Amino acid sequence: MNELFSLQNKKILITGSARGIGFILARGLAQYGADIIINGTTAEGTDKAVRELREEGYTAYAMPFDVTDSGAVKDAVQRIESTIGAIDVLINNAGIQRRHPFTEFPEQEWDDVIAVNQKAVFLVSQTVARYMVKRNRGKIINIGSMQSELGRDNITPYAASKGAVKMLTRGMCVELARYNIQVNGIAPGYFSTDMTKALEEDDAFTAWLTKRTPAGRWGDPQELIGAAVFLAAKSSDFVNGHLLFVDGGMSVAV
């Protein structure tokens, strides 16, 4: 395999990877040689994902912990570093969505969105980066969104959290690049997932989306793997502070 894109024996922690896009990324990166550390909120979910990957011949480990709990994050990262090995790549993928009109948005649901989508990126990145700084190497990939740049009805807290992820990516780059740590982001457009199932089943929305997107369709989550491989591998060693949009051209169209 071309060493530019090889992830052979790289240990990659992916938050929120027991299912959905996180699990798709886990499998995709494993295909390039990575050892995957699956994170989720429950042992049942992470164990199931690990079994599936191992049955396919990949190396995977389960590490359930709450990404919004600083104590749990520190304990889990320490366990990974001491029992599995040095974390070469961190992918901050965990995220949630809640939908309400802005004037009716419940405060608790605002707090939940910000905690998972924004605060957790800070907590996990800070903890992992402390180890990476000592080794003078590492890569951190933050999963942003189209809403890192654009707003939409009923998801203002989500857009605010993903806008913050964009600026966390840039700020972390400025502070960590001197330690040979690359911090970049991936901003998916509209992909067919469990989170977007209601929108996908809305014929009017799908018609609007396909007209609005130059590629003329929903994205397939498998199409995010290439961007993740690029940003996790040697190929991106001088790419830093970048937000890579994978959106079929939607963000540049008027």
Side-chain angles (χ1 to χ4, degrees):
M1 186 182 295
N2 188 313
E3 103 176 91
L4 278 178
F5 297 99
S6 172
L7 298 174
Q8 196 67 39
N9 300 321
K10 296 290 187 183
K11 291 179 173 53
I12 302 183
L13 168 61
I14 309 175
T15 66
S17 53
R19 59 187 178 87
I21 285 177
F23 184 72
I24 290 170
L25 291 178
R27 177 186 279 127
L29 294 170
Q31 291 170 351
Y32 282 78
D35 298 344
I36 303 298
I37 303 158
I38 295 288
N39 161 258
T41 56
T42 68
E44 180 182 8
T46 54
D47 288 346
K48 180 177 182 294
V50 165
R51 282 197 305 272
E52 189 168 338
L53 290 178
R54 288 180 176 175
E55 287 169 1
E56 295 173 10
Y58 304 123
T59 301
Y61 306 89
M63 190 58 64
F65 63 92
D66 181 354
V67 292
T68 69
D69 181 330
S70 61
V73 170
K74 289 175 183 176
D75 288 346
V77 172
Q78 192 279 329
R79 288 201 308 275
I80 293 168
E81 290 275 334
S82 62
T83 64
I84 297 174
I87 298 169
D88 297 293
V89 181
L90 164 65
I91 301 181
N92 287 301
N93 168 78
I96 62 172
Q97 174 68 287
R98 299 289 183 268
R99 293 182 173 90
H100 301 282
F102 176 72
T103 55
E104 300 169 24
F105 216 100
E107 181 180 357
Q108 184 59 56
E109 293 196 27
W110 162 277
D111 290 342
D112 293 343
V113 169
I114 297 302
V116 177
N117 295 2
Q118 178 178 336
K119 181 182 178 181
V121 175
F122 162 69
L123 291 177
V124 182
S125 296
Q126 183 186 62
T127 305
V128 171
R130 287 171 176 157
Y131 291 89
M132 290 180 170
V133 164
K134 293 176 183 178
R135 292 189 285 268
N136 205 49
R137 62 178 172 84
K139 292 180 182 286
I140 298 174
I141 303 168
N142 298 324
I143 304 300
S145 168
M146 285 280 295
Q147 274 67 49
S148 293
E149 297 287 351
L150 303 173
R152 188 172 181 276
D153 281 350
N154 298 327
I155 59 167
T156 295
Y158 181 85
S161 70
K162 292 300 184 178
V165 167
K166 176 184 74 172
M167 294 311 301
L168 275 167
T169 301
R170 293 180 177 181
M172 289 161 58
C173 160
V174 171
E175 294 202 49
L176 298 175
R178 70 197 69 171
Y179 301 107
N180 190 33
I181 299 170
Q182 293 83 52
V183 186
N184 293 289
I186 298 173
Y190 283 92
F191 281 78
S192 179
T193 67
D194 289 342
M195 189 180 288
T196 60
K197 185 176 180 181
L199 294 176
E200 191 176 2
E201 292 175 349
D202 183 330
D203 291 340
F205 183 86
T206 293
W208 170 83
L209 175 68
T210 54
K211 184 177 179 180
R212 175 72 174 77
T213 305
R217 62 177 175 84
W218 284 84
D220 180 339
Q222 298 289 333
E223 294 172 304
L224 291 166
I225 294 171
V229 171
F230 167 64
L231 293 177
K234 183 177 176 60
S235 48
S236 61
D237 279 356
F238 202 57
V239 178
N240 221 335
H242 178 66
L243 192 60
L244 175 55
F245 280 83
V246 185
D247 64 356
M250 189 176 188
S251 61
V252 299
V254 295

